[in-house]
Amino acid sequence: MIETAIDTHIEAINEEVIYQNPLLFLKIWEISADANQFSTLEKHPWHYHKEVEFLAIIEGHLGVQSNHDYVVLGPGDVMVLGSSQPHRSHKPLTDVLHYVVFQIDLGKHFDQSTMPYLYCFSELTQPLDKLNYIFDEQQLAKREAYAFILEIFNESQTRMRGYEISISSIIKRLLLLLLRNDSRNILNYTEESDLIRLRPVLDYISAHLDDKLVVEDACTLLNLSYHYFVKYFKKTMGVSFVEYVNYKRIKKAELLLLTSELSIMEVSYEVGITNMSQFYKLFKRHNQCSPREFKLQMRSESKVAMKAMQPSAEG
């Protein structure tokens, strides 16, 4: 990996990422370019997207320019570009180029058990680009990250039974790899004692999702002032109190849509959202689709999976 300091930036294009699987919130594909072709950076516009991007170089060399760096990646190299970080890339040499691009909304891959780690990857203080030092200093970590990205790509291509489970598992292993190899604590890991302190509030939220939940009630549970609690909750959980409550409500709504015959309005009331317009807005923000579309899509996916599990008539 060759690196040169660059301090230049112009207005960038806000690129919309179309997910290959809307329930996995990711896009992954491979790019190839023949030998004897090369391009200059100036031919490629600056762009950015809210999704985090990983690059894995299989063959050849790729030049990548971000806000303050220009790096030439070679075979086996891995790079991460943070959410909404302007960047552009080009083919600097006349060799065969083959690499994988992996874009993902990381925030959508944290569930109740891993939610406390969302703060680490939320880029509230520093972009994830800063983690590239791990790949420069730790060859084993780089090889493992490279293998994870290619494994996700292969799973997305073959789409074998349970590929969604496999991809979700690999994503968590990739995040764990970054967390455990971050010797500089770029991710600002939250102590477990902070989470334990919040446990009464988290349990209270889970038990009262169908009720009106307000910050003041949570403050009372921990005997903390409003302003201190708001800051403490976001520092520990990575999201605000309201965002966490909405996350839990939408997750419960998803479960009800899949496992019950309740109407969408009934589901909305069951999760404590009496304003249908607000329910639709929140649901779409979390799933990129309406509750009805979600239900139809998941049932369709289920039918496909069940059909694949049935033995062939010729067998």
Side-chain angles (χ1 to χ4, degrees), residues 112 114-120 190 195 198 202 232-240 244:
Q112 183 171 342
T114 56
M115 182 62 75
Y117 296 95
L118 175 60
Y119 177 82
C120 300
T190 301
L195 181 60
L198 276 181
L202 302 182
Y232 183 72
F233 191 96
K234 186 160 188 176
K235 177 181 179 298
T236 304
M237 300 302 293
V239 293
S240 70
Y244 180 77

Side-chain angles (χ1 to χ4, degrees), residues 42-254:
E42 291 69 28
K43 291 184 178 180
H44 300 271
W46 288 90
H47 64 280
Y48 65 95
H49 34 74
K50 66 181 180 65
E51 291 75 15
V52 172
E53 179 170 308
F54 290 89
L55 299 170
I57 313 302
I58 298 172
E59 186 178 9
H61 294 83
L62 178 71
V64 182
Q65 185 178 20
S66 56
N67 256 345
H68 302 290
D69 296 309
Y70 173 75
V71 178
V72 176
L73 304 173
D77 278 340
V78 173
M79 185 177 188
V80 59
L81 294 158
S83 171
S84 298
Q85 295 300 304
H87 59 279
R88 58 181 177 174
S89 60
H90 74 125
K91 187 174 182 291
L93 302 175
T94 55
D95 56 1
V96 173
L97 176 60
H98 183 200
Y99 64 103
V100 170
V101 182
F102 174 36
Q103 298 172 334
I104 178 172
D105 185 345
L106 284 180
K108 296 297 192 296
H109 286 269
F110 288 86
D111 52 32
Q112 183 171 342
S113 64
T114 56
M115 182 62 75
Y117 296 95
L118 175 60
Y119 177 82
C120 300
F121 296 91
S122 61
E123 304 186 84
L124 294 176
T125 56
Q126 299 188 78
L128 291 183
D129 304 41
K130 298 289 186 180
L131 292 177
N132 284 310
Y133 83 89
I134 295 175
F135 306 134
D136 291 334
E137 297 177 359
Q138 304 180 46
Q139 292 302 304
L140 178 58
K142 182 172 76 171
R143 286 196 295 271
E144 289 182 356
Y146 178 87
F148 286 154
I149 294 169
L150 293 192
E151 193 174 353
I152 291 171
F153 174 71
N154 289 332
E155 286 285 354
S156 71
Q157 293 297 299
T158 59
R159 296 173 69 92
M160 294 176 65
R161 184 192 311 166
Y163 80 95
E164 302 94 338
I165 298 174
S166 176
I167 289 177
S168 295
S169 171
I170 301 166
I171 290 169
K172 285 184 171 60
R173 289 161 65 195
L174 177 58
L175 296 179
L176 179 62
L177 174 74
L178 295 173
L179 188 69
R180 289 189 171 173
N181 287 278
D182 178 24
S183 58
R184 301 181 188 177
N185 199 27
I186 299 294
L187 296 174
N188 195 17
Y189 171 64
T190 301
E191 293 296 330
E192 186 177 357
S193 57
D194 291 329
L195 181 60
I196 293 174
R197 189 180 183 187
L198 276 181
R199 178 54 58 190
V201 172
L202 302 182
D203 291 342
Y204 179 78
I205 292 172
S206 296
H208 295 85
L209 280 178
D210 57 342
D211 297 330
K212 183 178 180 180
L213 291 166
V214 293
V215 178
E216 287 77 9
D217 292 339
C219 296
T220 302
L221 282 173
L222 299 187
N223 195 26
L224 297 175
S225 70
Y226 177 90
H227 293 292
Y228 182 85
F229 173 80
V230 168
K231 291 181 179 179
Y232 183 72
F233 191 96
K234 186 160 188 176
K235 177 181 179 298
T236 304
M237 300 302 293
V239 293
S240 70
F241 176 84
V242 173
E243 289 171 331
Y244 180 77
V245 169
N246 287 336
Y247 167 83
K248 293 283 291 180
R249 282 176 166 156
I250 295 305
K251 285 300 175 185
K252 182 178 179 180
E254 292 171 1

